[in-house]
Amino acid sequence: MRFLSWLFRAAVFFVLFAFALNNQHEAQLKWFFGFEFRAPMVLMVLVVFAAGAVFGVLAMTPNWWRQRRRLPGKPLATATAPANPAAMPASAVPVVPDVPLSPPSRDGI
């Protein structure tokens, strides 16, 4: 599985690298009042992508702050267990299978 993950990453890298090599010609961006900016096309695409990512994070920031203010000090997921598990009815006791769990892989997949 790890080999396939690295193979996919390499394929994406080479596709993006080929895109950059095919778009080395100079492009110009015309602004107001006669201002003109010239740069390679791949650089312009990279700058626009980065600006979009920054804009997306900044647009989500107020919502993150609002959510953090609503739950100060509360953990995100808490499971409440009964004080005396023997007092629970038999139907409420979870059944745990006897199958051992496999250890997680090193890359988290």
Side-chain angles (χ1 to χ4, degrees):
M1 183 68 183
R2 206 165 72 173
F3 175 73
L4 291 176
S5 173
W6 278 105
L7 189 65
F8 177 73
R9 291 174 186 172
V12 168
F13 171 78
F14 285 120
V15 166
L16 293 175
F17 187 69
F19 174 77
L21 288 177
N22 286 331
N23 289 299
Q24 288 183 349
H25 62 279
E26 188 175 90
Q28 67 186 85
L29 185 65
K30 295 184 179 182
W31 292 87
F32 300 109
F33 309 114
F35 181 71
E36 184 177 296
F37 179 73
R38 293 175 184 255
M41 176 66 81
V42 69
L43 182 65
M44 286 191 180
V45 170
L46 180 65
V47 167
V48 168
F49 174 77
V54 168
F55 178 75
V57 168
L58 289 176
M60 291 170 39
T61 301
N63 192 20
W64 288 340
W65 287 344
R66 192 176 317 115
Q67 288 179 0
R68 290 184 70 107
R69 263 185 278 137
R70 282 188 198 156
L71 300 172
K74 291 184 182 177
L76 294 178
T78 57
T80 57
N84 186 3
M88 291 176 33
S91 62
V93 175
V95 177
V96 179
D98 291 335
V99 179
L101 298 175
S102 63
S105 65
R106 290 190 298 185
D107 60 351
I109 296 175

